[in-house]
Every structure is written in structure tokens, then in C-alpha cells.
Amino acid sequence: MSKSLGRVRAALDAAGVAVEILEMADSTRTAEDAARAAGCAVDQIAKSIIFRGEDTGHVVLFLTAGGNRVDPAKATAVAGQPLGKADAALIREETGFAIGGVAPVGHLKPVTAFFDPRLLDFDRVWAAAGTPRHVFAIAPQVLLDLTGAAVADFTG
């Protein structure tokens, strides 16, 4: 088991959240790929979109429905600071994950997170489990509670 996948499993277990992590035959790097692999609607994919907080220098996580896009102006207002592109090195340093497999839990450092209310429209959503081929299904309210994210309007 990879270190990234192990951290996700450990975070879920520590929280008492019993979910099955699945390894998909094909990549789940994009929301469309993940939805196809999981057999669900694109909006049931909880994408982890990472920005760099320009004031803090730390990553800011936006968990959004697969069909939604993060609106930079709304995200900046929600985050309370200008946001910029987070490079792969910063993402890996703070979350421990590579782009394409960023999980909503199991980060190396505490992460400020925001949650797309669209995800709450479903009984379950699917999220990356630390690699481009591993995912897990979870009730969106459980995911929200687990991440400590704030529900906010940041899509456009």
C-alpha cells in the first residue's frame, strides 16, 4: 500500500468512518474518469481543487462537485485572501498527495477547506483516496464533518 493511500485509510479509520477504498482499473484523475469508473453522476465526484493562499503561502482546499468549476473571484472572497496557482511541490509538501490523487483527508499538514453545497444533494459521493486510481464512497455530510470544511458558494 502506498504511503498516500495508507494516510487516507488511517484518517478514515481514526475517525471511525467505515468505507471501502476501491482500486479502479482505469485512472480516476478527472471527474469524468472517476464518474465513469465508479458508475455515478459526475456531480457525485468530490473534486479536491487546491489553490495557494497568497497571504499565507499555504494551500487552500475546495471540495467541489465534479461538474462544477471553482470561480476564482468567489473562491478568493470565501478564502479571505488572494488565491494563486498551487504548484505540485507545494501540494505534495502540505497535503502529501500528487496532483490527480489529492484526497480530502489524510493531509500532512492542517488544510483550510471549503465545501460545495451541491455535494450535499446526494446520498453518497466519491472522493480520491490518495492515488490516481483509488477512490472511496462516503455520505457527503460525513465527508463535510470529517474535513472540517466550511460550506460556501465558490462555484460559477
Side-chain angles (χ1 to χ4, degrees), residues 56-134:
T56 65
H58 295 289
V59 299
V60 180
L61 170 64
F62 291 87
L63 292 167
T64 187
N68 284 347
R69 288 191 146 337
V70 175
D71 178 282
K74 288 182 177 180
T76 293
V78 165
Q81 65 177 318
L83 298 173
K85 182 175 172 35
D87 64 23
L90 179 65
I91 293 170
R92 170 112 30 212
E93 176 188 332
E94 295 204 1
T95 70
F97 302 117
I99 294 170
V102 176
V105 298
H107 302 136
L108 294 177
K109 297 179 179 179
V111 172
T112 299
F114 299 95
F115 199 89
D116 181 353
R118 172 70 173 123
L119 293 168
L120 295 170
D121 291 341
F122 301 99
D123 291 333
R124 70 179 183 168
V125 296
W126 294 82
T131 82
R133 293 174 63 111
H134 289 87

Side-chain angles (χ1 to χ4, degrees), residues 42-64:
V42 171
D43 274 359
Q44 285 181 271
I45 301 301
K47 295 189 299 190
S48 294
I49 306 297
I50 303 277
F51 288 92
R52 179 183 185 275
E54 296 298 332
D55 293 345
T56 65
H58 295 289
V59 299
V60 180
L61 170 64
F62 291 87
L63 292 167
T64 187

